[in-house]
């Protein structure tokens, strides 16, 4: 019986371990639950092999298929989006003072006078289904991203992380996720180009609807810390054993420079931090967003300039599984 029939990941290209080569990054690309199957994977492999600029400079070092049953059983989606889920449940109560100030400046409103609801409360308040809440159109100026949390103004209600209920609702045991890791020095723009090429191939092959938003089909790592986040729950050995934090290329990079495993995992679980700028001023950022587009040395420098951290999440089973020394806090 095959691994997928047993509800286990199928490792197509085994992960070789971290790279120590200067300038290399491991960028994760995966398909969201709407697109799945062997035909998808074979089409993507053909694109990689036939596109000369990618095949020579972007090495596919990992590819696996994860059955929806495995993803559900291990709560991978919920734990990946743990912080966004926290805000979608807590709503206004989760906002830090800095986030409140950003809200006030962006919407030109007083946060204290506004009805700010987490997405799950908003569903009941607005009498909407999860997909309806997701697809409700608003003007561009009525959407703000504040420390990684999306606020969408619908009528007079400010909905926090409106996309989370739909994301959880559509994830089921009938859907798979295909995961790839590309080892490259080219940077994120070239990965974005490869994703566009793969999307066109899937559309041309009649595998996905041409009207289907590529951003809902594909996800790729936008920065070094996100590379680790994207691998949690999805990076396994050929024997389907979890990869430790030190076996991620960026995790290995940080550990070799004296960064403790606890600090790496804690920064991923609670990424809202205060960063000291060159002028000595401290500003609050989401570390994953702040390091988007950075190389490893720049992201390492950003971590070294963290002066405080806001703790939202006090448990992280997925993080503990790749970082055994990480305690429940």
């Amino acid at each position: 019986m095959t691994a997928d029939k047993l509800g286990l990941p199928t490792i197509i290209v085994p992960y070789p371990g971290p790279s120590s080569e200067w300038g290399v990054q491991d960028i994760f690309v995966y398909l969201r639950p709407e697109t799945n199957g062997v035909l998808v994977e074979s089409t993507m492999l053909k694109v990689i092999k036939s596109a000369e600029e990618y095949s020579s400079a972007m090495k596919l070092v990992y590819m696996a298929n994860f059955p929806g049953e495995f993803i559900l059983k291990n709560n991978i989606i919920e734990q990946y989006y743990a912080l966004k889920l926290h805000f979608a449940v807590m709503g206004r109560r989760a906002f830090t003072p800095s986030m409140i100030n950003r809200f006030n400046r962006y919407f030109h409103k007083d946060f204290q006078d506004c009805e700010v609801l987490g997405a799950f409360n908003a569903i009941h308040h607005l009498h909407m289904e999860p997909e309806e809440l997701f697809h409700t159109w608003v003007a561009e100026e009525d959407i703000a991203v504040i420390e990684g949390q999306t606020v969408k103004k619908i009528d007079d209600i400010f909905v926090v992380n409106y996309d989370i209920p739909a994301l959880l609702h559509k994830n089921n045991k009938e859907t798979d996720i295909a995961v790839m890791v590309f080892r490259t020095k080219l940077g994120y723009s070239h990965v974005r180009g490869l994703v566009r090429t793969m999307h066109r191939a899937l559309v041309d092959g009649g595998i996905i609807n041409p009207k289907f938003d590529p951003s809902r089909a594909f996800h790729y790592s936008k920065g070094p810390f996100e590379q680790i986040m994207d691998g949690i729950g999805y990076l396994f050995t050929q024997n389907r054993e979890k990869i430790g934090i030190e076996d991620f290329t960026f995790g290995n990079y940080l550990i070799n420079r004296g960064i403790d495993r606890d600090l790496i995992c804690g920064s991923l679980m609670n990424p809202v931090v205060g960063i000291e700028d060159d002028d000595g001023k401290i500003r609050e950022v989401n570390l994953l967003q702040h390091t988007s587009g950075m190389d490893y040395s720049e992201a390492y420098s950003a971590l070294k300039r963290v002066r405080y951290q806001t703790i939202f999440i006090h448990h992280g089973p997925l993080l503990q599984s790749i970082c055994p020394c990480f305690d429940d806090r």
Side-chain angles (χ1 to χ4, degrees):
M1 188 175 289
T2 60
D4 60 326
K5 295 297 183 182
L6 293 170
L8 297 172
T10 299
I11 311 300
I12 302 164
V13 177
Y15 180 67
S19 172
S20 58
E21 185 179 353
W22 184 88
V24 159
Q25 296 206 50
D26 282 358
I27 300 178
F28 282 75
V29 177
Y30 55 74
L31 291 176
R32 296 188 187 278
E34 292 89 339
T35 53
N36 58 74
V38 175
L39 184 57
V40 169
E41 291 159 8
S42 62
T43 300
M44 292 190 298
L45 283 171
K46 287 178 184 175
V47 169
I48 296 164
K49 290 176 181 177
S50 62
E52 186 175 337
E53 66 171 299
Y54 303 125
S55 60
S56 60
M58 295 181 64
K59 184 179 180 183
L60 180 68
V61 295
Y62 180 71
M63 187 172 189
N65 184 74
F66 287 78
E69 182 180 350
F70 180 88
I71 294 167
L72 280 177
K73 181 180 178 181
N74 291 278
N75 300 312
I76 292 174
I77 301 296
E78 290 86 348
Q79 295 188 67
Y80 180 87
Y81 290 105
L83 185 58
K84 289 179 70 70
L85 181 58
H86 175 79
F87 273 81
V89 171
M90 299 295 290
R92 68 183 304 122
R93 290 173 293 166
F95 277 60
T96 68
S98 177
M99 293 175 70
I100 291 173
N101 288 335
R102 286 194 59 191
F103 177 100
N104 293 342
R105 292 196 302 271
Y106 184 88
F107 289 110
H108 306 290
K109 300 270 188 180
D110 188 333
F111 182 86
Q112 305 304 332
D113 295 334
C114 294
E115 190 155 19
V116 182
L117 299 179
F120 294 100
N121 282 336
I123 285 173
H124 298 292
H125 189 91
L126 296 169
H127 306 290
M128 290 183 177
E129 295 296 323
E131 283 291 331
E132 185 182 1
L133 182 67
F134 179 86
H135 288 291
T136 298
W137 185 91
V138 299
E140 186 177 348
E141 60 267 22
D142 288 333
I143 295 183
V145 179
I146 301 174
E147 316 306 15
Q149 316 310 313
T150 307
V151 180
K152 181 177 185 177
K153 183 177 180 291
I154 302 176
D155 298 328
D156 292 324
I157 308 297
F158 294 86
V159 182
V160 184
N161 291 339
Y162 67 92
D163 55 328
I164 290 296
L167 188 149
L168 297 179
H169 184 258
K170 71 191 176 187
N171 183 50
N172 61 71
K173 65 180 182 180
E174 303 302 325
T175 57
D176 299 355
I177 293 184
V179 181
M180 295 167 285
V181 178
F182 291 95
R183 188 160 285 172
T184 181
K185 293 183 180 181
L186 291 179
Y188 303 96
S189 62
H190 288 79
V191 176
R192 186 166 58 247
L194 176 60
V195 166
R196 284 197 297 264
T197 303
M198 289 192 292
H199 179 256
R200 282 197 301 270
L202 293 171
V203 170
D204 293 344
I207 299 169
I208 63 174
N209 190 314
K211 295 181 180 179
F212 192 74
D213 185 353
S215 67
R216 292 197 77 185
F218 286 95
H219 167 83
Y220 65 93
S221 309
K222 309 299 192 301
F225 283 99
E226 194 170 280
Q227 289 170 27
I228 301 178
M229 279 297 294
D230 288 343
I232 295 171
Y234 293 115
L235 193 56
F236 284 75
T237 68
Q238 198 161 15
N239 295 325
R240 293 189 291 278
E241 296 172 342
K242 276 301 248 334
I243 299 292
I245 194 78
E246 67 279 359
D247 292 318
F248 286 77
T249 293
F250 183 51
N252 185 266
Y253 178 96
L254 292 176
I255 289 169
N256 285 340
R257 283 155 181 77
I259 302 297
D260 190 81
R261 289 170 175 80
D262 281 17
L263 178 58
I264 299 170
C265 292
S267 299
L268 294 168
M269 191 165 69
N270 289 293
V272 177
V273 298
I275 291 266
E276 184 176 344
D277 287 330
D278 292 339
D279 60 4
K281 293 182 179 178
I282 297 175
R283 60 190 173 104
E284 191 171 273
V285 301
N286 182 302
L287 189 63
L288 275 73
Q289 281 189 321
H290 179 72
T291 54
S292 290
M294 290 185 178
D295 62 26
Y296 286 177
S297 63
E298 292 169 327
Y300 165 71
S301 175
L303 183 62
K304 294 287 285 184
R305 289 186 283 109
V306 170
R307 297 296 177 262
Y308 72 81
Q309 178 184 32
T310 301
I311 305 299
F312 298 101
I313 309 297
H314 293 271
H315 56 86
L318 276 180
L319 283 164
Q320 286 175 307
S321 69
I322 67 164
C323 193
C325 62
F326 182 61
D327 57 355
D328 263 345
R329 58 180 90 181

